Amino acid sequence: MSDLPNCLKCDSEYTYEDGIMCVCPECGHEWPKDAVSEGSDDEKVVTDANGNPLQDGDTVTVIKGLKIKGSSVMVKVGTKVKNIRLVDGDHDIDCKIEGIGAMKLKSQFVKKA
């Protein structure tokens, strides 16, 4: 029927092509079509809010104001985060933010700089 892969996030079988991207209508996740072939050997592809693949050591920019749980401090929009590390889990970016310290971020709230 279709040679498109299941969604990388929710494993839905109803994915479709949109230009150079694959899109899941159920969870809204988008990823580059060529990332599927890279991630086929059980390697998770982490993408930013725009669908760009992220790697260890990249610099990203926060695109949404993020409250820090248990604190009155907030990570402001436009904050640059250098030298990220990709990890498994719900929060897939491990980093240090200047003035705040060590944090974990979700890749959906950052864009590649």
Side-chain angles (χ1 to χ4, degrees):
M1 184 173 159
S2 174
D3 60 343
L4 291 175
N6 288 356
C7 176
L8 301 176
K9 220 173 207 180
C10 72
D11 202 35
S12 171
E13 60 185 23
Y14 303 111
T15 57
Y16 63 91
E17 289 183 53
D18 184 20
I20 61 167
M21 303 292 281
C22 289
V23 180
C24 175
E26 292 186 6
C27 71
H29 181 64
E30 297 181 7
W31 66 97
K33 281 192 278 190
D34 58 350
V36 173
S37 60
E38 295 170 10
S40 61
D41 14 28
D42 293 337
E43 187 178 310
K44 183 180 174 187
V45 176
V46 178
T47 58
D48 68 1
N50 297 329
N52 300 319
L54 296 173
Q55 297 177 348
D56 286 342
D58 281 346
T59 298
V60 296
T61 305
V62 177
I63 62 168
K64 179 182 178 186
L66 303 172
K67 294 181 183 176
I68 299 175
K69 192 174 184 178
S71 173
S72 61
V73 178
M74 189 171 173
V75 179
K76 295 181 180 179
V77 175
T79 301
K80 282 202 174 195
V81 181
K82 298 177 184 176
N83 198 22
I84 64 169
R85 290 178 306 283
L86 302 179
V87 295
D88 290 333
D90 187 30
H91 292 72
D92 41 17
I93 297 175
D94 212 5
C95 62
K96 286 186 181 177
I97 298 177
E98 197 171 314
I100 296 174
M103 284 198 66
K104 291 187 178 226
L105 298 173
K106 291 186 178 185
S107 59
Q108 67 193 40
F109 298 122
V110 299
K111 68 177 182 180
K112 198 170 187 175

